[in-house]
Amino acid sequence: MQYYSLNHNAPDVDFKTATLYGQAPDKGLYFPKYIPRFSEKFLQNLSTLSSEEIGVEVIRPYIENEIPEADLKRIVSETLNFPIPLVPVNDNIWSLELYHGPTLAFKDIGARFMSRCLGYFAKQIEKRIVVLVATSGDTGGAVAHGFYDVPGIDVVILYPSGKVSPVQEKQLTTLGKNIHALEVKGNFDDCQRMVKQAFTDKELTENIFLTSANSINVARWLPQQFYYLLALKQWNQAQPPVISVPSGNFGNICAGLLANASGMPVDHFVAAVNMNDVVPRYFETKRYEPLPAKATLSNAMDVGDPSNFIRVREIFHDSFPGLSEKMSSEKFTDQQTEAAIEKVYQAFHYTLDPHGAVAFLGLDSYLKKHPGKKGFILETAHPVKFPESVERITGTKIPIPEHVQPIMSAQKKSILIDPDYVQLKQSLSSLF
Ligand SMILES: *Cc1c(COP(=O)(O)O)cnc(C)c1O
């Protein structure tokens, strides 16, 4: 498969190059040259296939022979080595729980797949590969766990000291081995500025291959299709589902739309958002007008200019009628989000996190306008990640899942630095 830049001013590349570099030299996002079709046989036999078989079938056309069969199978099965159940919430709504991975969020899936692809390609690169990321919390944890112990790759994470939650800090700083945490005495913007400067530092990049492993990387975006098909495998209703996705950068929903364009039956997609409403406004006005991000309860969706929305448009060849037939978008306030967490807990004994609650509101609203339809939400984070809101609203303590408990008592290891590029460079040269 070849990938082109959505800025149309860079050469086409293969999967390996798109994965290693993340972004095209013209700063565009990579997009596959064509959208493959699932075979009828694959869709009919879904219930008989394993997660690994489904994943390999979905991703194979995007990689072709750049990764041999046995390696791809291993990569997919290591990516999907935790349960992804579709559980009923009420008569019409199910929840696809994507939060049973190591950092309790759906980003684990994309991060695990990308890390293993990079690990595979690392063998073909002479320089040491260093993944350099700035994080305000969640992404860093998923990347750190995704790359943990992957041979040939080191990860350096910059995070703002005192500005991530205690659980998040543990996820960033306790792994050790090839994961290195730099605790910056500054804010997230300082971390991001330092990372950006490193990428332009010729002296540094002479010795190491720096990559950002960020959320626009095709190796993070494409494997998110897996769980849409894993949900379809568990969907035992006569009609195709309506799917509601809590959206921030729109990578997750874009993977679902891609699976649908490849032939997966889906009735409709709802992009549920918080008060960062650039996309609902786009559907109303046909104008895409980004705004600065506003802080909300569902903070992983606080995005004012969603980077993957351009891919969503590309899937529909930028046809507004085509896109609005398949997808709609609705925004919800924090107050509505809190009320939804309470209502769903009281009425159905199901605990939503704030992101899942926004998705629930979106689906519930759509189904009320379209009686007779059924669907599921993507539950993107474990409610235990948001105890201060969820436990307050439900009045119930949420136990920390067993598989993450060891992290909570592990020793924090970080290197404290000033928000100064020279200190980042010194740290990197002492590490490598
Ligand atoms: C990142 C994130 C989202 C938003 O996903 P996008 O792909 O950016 O739209 C939603 N929920 C949670 C918990 C997240 O971490």
Side-chain angles (χ1 to χ4, degrees):
M1 176 72 80
Q2 293 284 299
Y3 295 82
Y4 60 95
S5 164
L6 289 176
N7 281 354
H8 303 286
N9 204 8
D12 293 351
V13 298
D14 56 11
F15 177 75
K16 172 182 164 181
T17 309
T19 299
L20 283 168
Y21 290 89
Q23 208 166 14
D26 64 358
K27 307 277 183 237
L29 273 67
Y30 282 119
F31 195 88
K33 266 268 170 183
Y34 71 95
I35 296 180
R37 295 286 303 179
F38 301 135
S39 73
E40 282 302 314
K41 194 170 143 233
F42 169 65
L43 292 171
Q44 275 160 13
N45 294 347
L46 213 53
S47 63
T48 66
L49 301 177
S50 67
S51 303
E52 180 193 292
E53 287 167 330
I54 291 171
V56 170
E57 180 85 12
V58 169
I59 205 74
R60 167 61 68 209
Y62 294 97
I63 300 179
E64 290 174 306
N65 54 11
E66 291 181 59
I67 300 178
E69 189 72 11
D71 292 287
L72 190 59
K73 278 188 179 160
R74 175 187 53 79
I75 290 171
V76 170
S77 70
E78 287 176 13
T79 301
L80 298 172
N81 73 345
F82 47 85
I84 302 183
L86 184 69
V87 305
V89 178
N90 63 26
D91 290 345
N92 301 319
I93 296 181
W94 282 254
S95 169
L96 184 68
E97 294 181 349
L98 297 170
Y99 57 64
H100 296 288
T103 70
L104 307 177
F106 85 101
K107 289 191 176 71
D108 280 330
I109 295 153
R112 288 170 81 77
F113 186 81
M114 173 175 58
S115 64
R116 282 151 180 82
C117 290
L118 265 181
Y120 178 81
F121 294 130
K123 293 178 209 133
Q124 304 164 14
I125 303 269
E126 275 168 24
K127 291 183 198 174
R128 178 197 285 269
I129 295 188
V130 176
V131 176
L132 190 61
V133 275
T135 186
S136 54
D138 259 4
T139 308
V143 170
H145 279 75
F147 281 96
Y148 178 63
D149 227 2
V150 172
I153 299 189
D154 282 272
V155 177
V156 177
I157 297 170
L158 278 72
Y159 74 96
S161 181
K163 298 200 173 65
V164 301
S165 79
V167 182
Q168 286 173 336
E169 185 166 43
K170 290 280 187 185
Q171 288 176 340
L172 299 173
T173 59
T174 59
L175 286 168
K177 286 202 183 171
N178 60 330
I179 312 297
H180 316 277
L182 299 182
E183 183 177 352
V184 178
K185 291 183 236 163
N187 57 28
F188 174 61
D189 290 337
D190 293 319
C191 299
Q192 213 157 21
R193 174 178 46 78
M194 290 157 78
V195 165
K196 277 201 180 134
Q197 195 169 346
F199 277 93
T200 61
D201 185 335
K202 291 259 161 30
E203 200 182 24
L204 192 67
T205 52
E206 212 164 89
N207 304 317
I208 54 182
F209 186 98
L210 272 191
T211 180
S212 69
N214 66 21
S215 66
I216 56 151
N217 197 301
V218 293
R220 253 179 91 171
W221 169 47
L222 297 170
Q224 296 178 111
Q225 293 177 93
F226 295 169
Y227 43 75
Y228 286 90
L229 287 130
L230 295 177
L232 188 66
K233 176 182 167 177
Q234 299 170 75
W235 181 253
N236 51 18
Q237 305 297 306
Q239 299 292 324
V242 177
I243 304 178
S244 177
V245 186
S247 296
N249 264 320
F250 281 69
N252 201 3
I253 195 165
C254 188
L257 291 162
L258 187 65
N260 174 239
S262 297
M264 172 180 169
V266 178
D267 184 281
H268 189 77
F269 285 91
V270 179
V273 300
N274 57 31
M275 292 313 279
N276 294 283
D277 64 347
V278 54
V279 174
R281 281 188 286 112
Y282 170 79
F283 279 109
E284 268 165 41
T285 64
K286 299 191 188 174
R287 283 198 306 272
Y288 182 83
E289 293 168 326
L291 287 174
K294 299 185 199 74
T296 76
L297 201 57
S298 46
N299 55 22
M301 290 148 57
D302 294 349
V303 179
D305 185 5
S307 48
N308 275 292
F309 195 61
I310 185 166
R311 282 185 173 140
V312 169
R313 290 166 68 162
E314 189 75 2
I315 291 175
F316 293 89
H317 311 290
D318 213 7
S319 150
F320 187 86
L323 174 59
S324 27
E325 196 183 294
K326 199 73 229 177
M327 173 178 150
S328 51
S329 188
E330 198 173 346
K331 70 170 174 193
F332 299 95
T333 63
D334 279 357
Q335 216 176 1
Q336 289 172 301
T337 307
E338 293 205 1
I341 294 172
E342 181 168 14
K343 185 193 113 180
V344 170
Y345 183 74
Q346 299 295 345
F348 312 121
H349 311 291
Y350 188 79
T351 309
L352 292 164
D353 95 291
H355 304 79
V358 171
F360 184 91
L361 286 162
L363 184 55
D364 200 42
S365 160
Y366 186 84
L367 296 181
K368 286 211 170 90
K369 289 179 215 140
H370 300 85
K373 294 189 178 186
K374 294 170 191 266
F376 63 84
I377 62 165
L378 267 53
E379 211 346 339
T380 47
H382 197 297
V384 78
K385 294 189 90 168
F386 303 91
E388 55 305 321
S389 54
V390 179
E391 291 181 354
R392 168 174 52 80
I393 296 162
T394 62
T396 310
K397 181 121 188 83
I398 310 164
I400 295 179
E402 219 166 284
H403 67 103
V404 293
Q405 278 174 8
I407 281 184
M408 299 311 294
S409 53
Q411 189 71 35
K412 164 180 163 181
K413 263 190 250 135
S414 67
I415 305 168
L416 196 62
I417 61 170
D418 289 324
D420 170 7
Y421 179 66
V422 176
Q423 292 208 10
L424 169 61
K425 197 165 173 177
Q426 278 166 359
S427 310
L428 289 174
S429 40
S430 70
L431 283 168
F432 310 116

